[in-house]
């Protein structure tokens, strides 16, 4: 289960990197009209990356406290992720309405996030949190 968590975490990270790259390339970090605050975006990224490093060290050392540390890091990552999702949904809805009437794609940087990437990132994030928690609880382990 711990390896499955690693794989899910890596897939989640790929989606996150894609969205971060899109957001940065569209001027999200420069302020503009983005509804995603820079500290929230980079806090989410930094905590998720730190948790992944802790998880990898856990896999190498098998120190049970590290599994709980990784889970503890995932809690604020999830909260920041839900915050960004809640701020992205109105942008996505406005994009759909604007595209239907004008056919243009201007607006906040996060407007350019593909829906399948957002959904996939979220689903794999939930799977990651559940697998990490189950591993930390010692369920399904070796």
């Amino acid at each position: 289960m711990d390896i499955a968590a690693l794989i899910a975490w890596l897939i989640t990270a790929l989606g996150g990197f894609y969205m971060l790259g899109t957001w940065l390339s569209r001027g999200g970090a420069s302020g503009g009209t983005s509804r995603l605050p820079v500290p929230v975006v980079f806090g989410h990224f930094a905590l998720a990356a730190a948790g992944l490093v802790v998880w990898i060290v856990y896999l190498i050392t098998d120190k049970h406290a590290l599994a709980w540390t990784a889970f503890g890091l995932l809690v604020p990552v999830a909260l920041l992720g839900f915050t960004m999702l809640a701020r992205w949904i109105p942008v996505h809805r406005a994009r759909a309405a604007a595209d239907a009437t004008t056919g243009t794609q201007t607006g906040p940087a996060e407007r350019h996030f593909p829906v399948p990437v957002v959904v996939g990132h979220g689903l794999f994030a939930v799977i990651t949190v559940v697998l990490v928690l189950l591993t930390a609880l010692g369920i399904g382990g070796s």
Side-chain angles (χ1 to χ4, degrees), residues 46-125:
L47 288 171
L52 179 57
V53 169
V54 169
W55 191 253
I56 291 169
V57 172
Y58 160 72
L59 292 175
I60 293 168
T61 64
D62 201 29
K63 300 287 184 185
H64 196 68
L66 292 174
W68 282 108
T69 303
F71 178 74
L73 287 167
L74 282 177
V75 172
V77 169
L79 293 173
L80 291 171
F82 281 123
T83 299
M84 289 188 288
L85 177 64
R87 295 180 71 99
W88 173 80
I89 289 172
V91 170
H92 171 68
R93 288 184 178 159
R95 173 189 177 184
D99 288 352
T101 59
T102 65
T104 61
Q105 289 201 4
T106 59
E110 60 273 14
R111 179 180 211 178
H112 303 280
F113 293 167
V115 174
V117 176
V118 173
V119 171
H121 179 72
L123 287 174
F124 276 98

